Amino acid sequence: MLGFEKPLPRVACLAGALWLSGCIEADKAGTPHLVAFDIIDATGAPVMRDPDAAVFTATPRVSSFTAVFDHVLDFTQILNVDAGTTLPGLVNLTVKGAPTEVSTAYTVNGHHKYHFITSAGPNITAMPMGGLPSAASVVVALDVARLRGHNGQPVVIDPAVPAQISFETLPFGFIEEMDKPRVISGVSQPLVFSVSNIPEAAFATKVTVTSTVETVVTPVDVTVTASVDDPASFTVVPTAGMWTAGAVITVALAADAADAFGVAVGQPTSIQFTVAAAP
């Protein structure tokens, strides 16, 4: 489990421009309210729920689940102070009906509203160990019975901010970025695509590429390489060194292409890119 961050001295906060730093110390005597409980994606942004959707869907690439409070919590209920770790069972994660391990941390620093540099706090974060599978039912819940303020009062849970989140992870497949035109700017430029979850080790062998010029479709030998920074992002380069100007390039995944948990696409799927025409 991850350790917790010790609170910064109040004087240090003041010296560091209190209103900017976000290290405003919460009132220790107050009754804490749960003010936010969010799914945080791989970019560090909260996943927003579509109010019109019948089912809450989210990326399987969850970096953490974060609960934010407006007052600090009673350490004795959630921390092994000597070891500097959180006690187990504070956040419970269930994936496909099975309990799943999380690593939790309690951070006392920060403020639930004024957090321009540091994260909102006080907060509890829980990180799913090893990530989440695609197309899975997920439930994450706080053990609210253990959450109390320094005044001994239990955390207040507002119906608008429930202490449990139920959602479905997205199926495995290409990420469609509708705001970005899929254009290869030059014949020598690489093609880049991303998938929705960390893929299996043999993923590159499940990718095929064709080039279409007018009505003629030609298979293209390519090298598919995962990004060093993001293992779900791939660069595709033709072994011949160049694409055909003006061609439509189709990247296809085999039906058995799968994420690291073995969840497959299920049926052949593809996306297309257009190579810029020769000047």
Side-chain angles (χ1 to χ4, degrees):
M1 297 182 187
L2 296 181
F4 64 94
E5 298 179 22
K6 296 182 179 179
L8 298 177
R10 185 184 296 273
V11 65
C13 289
L14 292 172
L18 179 64
W19 66 278
L20 276 178
S21 70
C23 59
I24 297 174
E25 186 176 342
D27 177 9
K28 290 186 177 182
T31 298
H33 291 67
L34 177 64
V35 297
F37 191 23
D38 292 315
I39 303 169
I40 308 300
D41 68 17
T43 70
V47 177
M48 305 305 292
R49 180 169 188 167
D50 181 352
D52 298 323
V55 177
F56 183 14
T57 57
T59 171
R61 299 192 65 190
V62 170
S63 64
S64 69
F65 305 100
T66 300
V68 180
F69 306 88
D70 60 356
H71 295 86
V72 294
L73 304 175
D74 180 1
F75 285 10
T76 63
Q77 301 298 311
I78 59 177
L79 295 173
N80 181 333
V81 178
D82 292 333
T85 60
T86 55
L87 296 172
L90 187 61
V91 179
N92 298 298
L93 176 65
T94 303
V95 180
K96 295 183 177 179
T100 301
E101 185 180 2
V102 294
S103 176
T104 58
Y106 172 56
T107 301
V108 70
N109 301 335
H111 191 274
H112 65 288
K113 289 184 179 179
Y114 309 112
H115 49 91
F116 302 101
I117 298 175
T118 60
S119 60
N123 68 57
I124 293 171
T125 60
M127 292 174 285
M129 303 299 288
L132 297 174
S134 305
S137 298
V138 181
V139 178
V140 58
L142 296 171
D143 185 355
V144 295
R146 292 168 56 184
L147 304 180
R148 295 182 176 274
H150 277 269
N151 60 359
Q153 295 300 308
V155 166
V156 176
I157 307 298
D158 188 290
V161 186
Q164 176 175 301
I165 305 172
S166 300
F167 66 99
E168 300 280 337
T169 56
L170 295 170
F172 184 60
F174 290 113
I175 292 179
E176 296 281 354
E177 297 182 273
M178 304 306 294
D179 58 332
K180 295 182 180 180
R182 293 195 292 270
V183 176
I184 303 171
S185 59
V187 294
S188 60
Q189 295 299 309
L191 177 159
V192 178
F193 72 88
S194 297
V195 289
S196 56
N197 206 358
I198 305 301
E200 62 178 324
F203 177 78
T205 65
K206 310 293 179 66
V207 178
T208 57
V209 177
T210 59
S211 173
T212 302
V213 178
E214 296 182 346
T215 59
V216 179
V217 180
T218 306
V220 181
D221 290 328
V222 296
T223 300
V224 181
T225 307
S227 167
V228 174
D229 299 323
D230 181 1
S233 180
F234 291 84
T235 298
V236 181
V237 177
T239 55
M242 295 176 55
W243 306 105
T244 301
V248 174
I249 305 300
T250 301
V251 181
L253 296 182
D256 62 345
D259 68 10
F261 295 85
V263 179
V265 174
Q267 59 184 5
T269 183
S270 64
I271 54 174
Q272 293 184 326
F273 295 77
T274 301
V275 183

